Coordinates of all heavy atoms in Angstrom, one line a residue:
Chain B
G41 N -26.7 -84.5 -32.4 CA -26.8 -84.1 -33.8 C -25.6 -84.6 -34.7 O -25.6 -84.5 -35.9
P62 N 2.3 -75.2 -39.0 CA 1.8 -76.1 -40.1 C 2.9 -76.9 -40.6 O 4.0 -76.5 -40.9 CB 1.3 -75.1 -41.1 CG 1.9 -73.8 -40.8 CD 2.1 -73.8 -39.3
D125 N -9.9 -110.0 -39.5 CA -11.2 -110.6 -39.3 C -11.6 -111.3 -40.6 O -12.1 -112.4 -40.6 CB -12.2 -109.5 -38.9 CG -13.6 -110.1 -38.6 OD1 -13.6 -111.0 -37.7 OD2 -14.5 -109.8 -39.3
A133 N -4.3 -107.7 -27.9 CA -3.2 -106.9 -27.5 C -3.2 -106.5 -26.1 O -4.2 -106.7 -25.4 CB -3.3 -105.6 -28.4
L180 N -1.0 -92.7 -7.7 CA -1.3 -93.9 -8.4 C -2.7 -94.5 -8.0 O -3.4 -95.0 -8.8 CB -0.2 -94.9 -8.3 CG 1.0 -94.5 -9.2 CD1 2.3 -95.0 -8.7 CD2 0.7 -94.9 -10.6
V210 N -2.5 -101.7 -19.2 CA -3.9 -101.9 -19.5 C -4.2 -103.3 -19.9 O -3.3 -104.1 -20.4 CB -4.4 -100.9 -20.6 CG1 -4.2 -99.5 -20.2 CG2 -3.7 -101.2 -21.9
S294 N 10.1 -96.0 -37.8 CA 9.7 -94.6 -38.0 C 8.5 -94.3 -37.2 O 8.3 -93.2 -36.7 CB 9.5 -94.3 -39.5 OG 9.1 -93.0 -39.7
E387 N 21.9 -106.6 -38.0 CA 21.4 -105.3 -38.4 C 20.9 -104.5 -37.2 O 20.2 -105.0 -36.3 CB 20.2 -105.5 -39.4 CG 19.8 -104.2 -40.0 CD 18.6 -104.3 -41.0 OE1 18.2 -105.5 -41.2 OE2 18.1 -103.3 -41.5

Side-chain angles (χ1 to χ4, degrees):
Chain B
D125 186 59
L180 283 154
V210 298
S294 180
E387 188 180 358

